[in-house]
Amino acid sequence: MSILFTPFKLGNLQLKNRFVFSACEDNLAAEDGSITDAAIKKNAKLARGEVGLIISSHMAVHPSGRNFIHQPVIYTDTVIAGLKALTEAVHEHGCRIVFQLGYSGVVHNPTGGQDPFAVNSLSEESIGEIIDAFRTAAELAVKADADGIQLHAAHGYLINQFLSPYFNHRTDGWSGSEENRFRLLREIISATRKVLPEGKLLLVKLNTNDYTRTPGITPSLAVNYAKYLAELKIDGLEVSCGTTALSTWHVCRGDIPVPEVLSMFDPAARPQIEPALRKMQESVRFSEGYNVEAARMIRPVMGKVPLFAVGGWRNVSSMENAVKSGDTDLISMCRPFIREPLLVRRIREGKTAASSCTSCNRCYIAIRKNIPVRCYSKGLPQ
């Protein structure tokens, strides 16, 4: 049997295999942030496809921290019924699900939320309110029977901004040193852990490289942050890279769908934007498991904390080698599952040895267009 189909213990929970659906915006929530039947069906299909763990679409913990019109929220009891229906649909098929919790940052917020560079303008009172919001969100996740939470500390969102020297220019106790920049994440972990019963997972998603114009989080800094997280005894660390607004294509790699990107800009600006996109293409070419090198650097400081790398997994042989070598414990994927929700089952049955995802990244453009995220390899709707 392939090592990918061996059970794995994450915290106190047993996963049936090594496959993780990595969180992805899907534009399937209602405009009030509640869970829809479409979102439930999407996740139920992934569970039927035998994914071991689903990390939910990014959920906003505060009204001022929403990123997209159709982003799910987790700051009011009114959404509990939908969230509980979601977890029940996943659990029915023997799959685990954790809720990804976050607060917007660099990402443009069309819903009237916080200034994108809030890290430097937030008052002490506001920071306390955000920490409280994460704690409340964790309580709601427990009420909804989720198997745990993942704190989103990557991709330019607020926690990432506090961690990053590129973004964080505060002159108080929340900056000036690694320990101070890590303080927000430390306090959120402390606050959420107090409301998570024994057996519920506390995971973190961390950037290993911000790919900003001047250094932000770099691999060496990520190693130090990972050491702090291991000391806090989190239940698992997912490593990623890139910032959604400033280094978008480092997050997902592969093709830059230039015509579709240009369609989102004013026609007068397109002649200036197109050459920059085409020049950028070479630096973000797809490569298999493109975060595994950073995971390999982080591994020695993690102790017994499980590690999983997202980004660029396509071939089963590469996944197996990464797990066998100890570079990662779990294989975290997103785009392959957008294209093939039943991919894990097909691998187990010997029907495929690789994902058919071509990394065209049109699914990523769908997020910005506020349309449901699915495979658009044949083109986005006009």
Side-chain angles (χ1 to χ4, degrees):
M1 179 174 65
S2 168
I3 193 171
L4 301 176
F5 291 94
T6 56
F8 185 79
K9 192 172 184 182
L10 190 61
N12 290 325
L13 297 181
Q14 186 91 340
L15 306 184
K16 60 186 176 183
N17 57 45
R18 306 300 184 98
F19 291 97
V20 177
F21 175 76
S22 189
C24 175
E25 308 282 1
D26 56 22
N27 285 337
L28 293 178
E31 288 195 19
D32 66 357
S34 59
I35 296 297
T36 61
D37 287 344
I40 293 170
K41 289 177 181 177
K42 165 208 159 182
N43 286 278
K45 190 169 186 178
L46 286 164
R48 288 199 310 274
E50 302 182 11
V51 172
L53 172 68
I54 292 173
I55 303 176
S56 77
S57 181
H58 185 196
M59 297 181 179
V61 303
H62 192 279
S64 66
R66 290 186 72 187
N67 305 313
F68 300 101
I69 294 170
H70 293 288
Q71 181 185 13
V73 306
I74 187 165
Y75 47 71
T76 170
D77 280 330
T78 61
V79 300
I80 291 298
L83 292 173
K84 196 162 188 176
L86 172 63
T87 58
E88 288 174 353
V90 169
H91 289 158
E92 182 180 347
H93 301 284
C95 180
R96 303 291 190 175
I97 182 168
V98 301
F99 293 170
Q100 186 184 75
L101 311 182
Y103 186 99
S104 67
V106 168
V107 178
H108 171 62
N109 187 339
T111 60
Q114 200 73 40
D115 183 326
F117 294 92
V119 57
N120 298 312
S121 58
L122 283 171
S123 65
E124 288 276 348
E125 181 181 3
S126 295
I127 292 173
E129 182 178 346
I130 289 169
I131 293 169
D132 288 343
F134 274 94
R135 184 185 65 246
T136 298
E139 288 179 314
L140 295 176
V142 172
K143 287 184 181 180
D145 293 333
D147 293 300
I149 62 170
Q150 183 188 62
L151 302 174
H152 199 341
H155 301 169
Y157 297 112
L158 188 69
I159 300 175
N160 184 178
Q161 286 188 58
F162 269 80
L163 293 170
S164 175
Y166 176 82
F167 296 110
N168 189 344
H169 305 139
R170 298 179 68 95
T171 56
D172 57 9
W174 301 92
S175 188
S177 67
E178 287 179 14
E179 292 81 3
N180 285 356
R181 288 194 299 270
F182 187 78
R183 180 181 168 191
L184 178 68
L185 180 52
R186 184 185 297 276
E187 295 203 12
I188 290 173
I189 289 172
S190 176
T192 54
R193 178 165 275 149
K194 290 175 182 176
V195 300
L196 290 174
E198 185 177 353
K200 297 293 184 182
L201 299 173
L202 199 166
L203 311 177
V204 173
K205 185 169 190 172
L206 180 72
N207 254 16
T208 57
N209 196 327
D210 287 339
Y211 288 106
T212 41
R213 289 182 288 273
T214 58
I217 295 178
T218 59
S220 59
L221 179 54
V223 169
N224 293 343
Y225 285 149
K227 185 174 184 292
Y228 297 157
L229 291 168
E231 291 169 351
L232 291 172
K233 295 182 170 58
I234 63 170
D235 294 307
L237 179 66
E238 183 179 29
V239 295
S240 189
C241 68
T243 56
T244 304
L246 302 183
S247 52
T248 299
W249 305 107
H250 283 284
V251 175
C252 52
R253 308 291 174 91
D255 294 336
I256 299 178
V258 174
E260 289 86 350
V261 175
L262 292 176
S263 72
M264 297 187 292
F265 291 90
D266 184 277
R270 293 174 191 173
Q272 288 73 45
I273 296 171
E274 182 173 0
L277 289 173
R278 297 196 183 280
K279 181 178 180 181
M280 190 186 306
Q281 176 66 81
E282 190 57 39
S283 66
V284 295
R285 291 287 180 194
F286 179 84
S287 59
E288 186 89 19
Y290 52 81
N291 285 312
V292 76
E293 184 176 345
R296 192 177 296 126
M297 292 176 61
I298 285 171
R299 169 61 82 189
V301 303
M302 294 308 296
K304 295 182 179 179
V305 177
L307 187 65
F308 38 119
V310 65
W313 299 116
R314 297 294 182 270
N315 292 288
V316 171
S317 59
S318 297
M319 302 175 201
E320 290 175 332
N321 289 337
V323 174
K324 287 177 181 177
S325 66
D327 291 335
T328 186
D329 296 298
L330 299 167
I331 298 296
S332 198
M333 298 187 288
C334 182
R335 287 171 292 172
F337 288 132
I338 292 174
R339 183 173 175 89
E340 299 175 90
L342 306 180
L343 178 61
V344 176
R345 182 197 297 175
R346 296 187 69 243
I347 293 172
R348 182 183 59 78
E349 293 174 344
K351 293 180 178 178
T352 185
S355 165
S356 62
C357 176
T358 61
S359 307
C360 72
N361 289 323
R362 292 188 181 93
C363 57
Y364 191 80
I365 300 300
I367 298 173
R368 302 296 170 184
K369 287 182 173 289
N370 289 317
I371 60 176
V373 173
R374 57 175 66 103
C375 183
Y376 291 104
S377 61
K378 295 182 180 179
L380 287 157
Q382 298 299 314

